[in-house]
Amino acid sequence: MVRLYQYDTCPYCQRVIRAAESLGLVAGKDIEYVEAFQGTPGRAEVVRLGGQSQVPFLVDGSVHMYESADIIAYLRSKYS
């Protein structure tokens, strides 16, 4: 399952979430949304896994990426 580290008021995160929904990805089945607002355990995990305190952050096995446009392109190539 793909994990997306995000928080609700992040516009770039919302952009990725809308793209995932348009691809038919189901939360809890295809994609896991991890709360990663500043100061949360999710944000600490983003830094640990990727080295930067930035969201959105996608983890799919060995694939780790930050930029919303790159994440959307990756999801489209994987699920279209």
Side-chain angles (χ1 to χ4, degrees), residues 63-78:
V63 174
H64 296 173
M65 60 179 60
Y66 283 101
E67 296 297 325
S68 60
D70 294 340
I71 293 170
I72 292 168
Y74 176 80
L75 292 174
R76 285 184 178 147
S77 71
K78 181 171 179 159

Side-chain angles (χ1 to χ4, degrees), residues 32-75:
E32 175 186 2
Y33 296 111
V34 179
E35 175 61 44
F37 193 73
Q38 283 287 46
T40 64
R43 183 61 72 101
E45 195 170 343
V46 168
V47 174
R48 183 179 62 78
L49 292 172
Q52 298 179 46
S53 180
Q54 178 182 327
V55 291
F57 180 62
L58 180 95
V59 174
D60 184 20
S62 63
V63 174
H64 296 173
M65 60 179 60
Y66 283 101
E67 296 297 325
S68 60
D70 294 340
I71 293 170
I72 292 168
Y74 176 80
L75 292 174

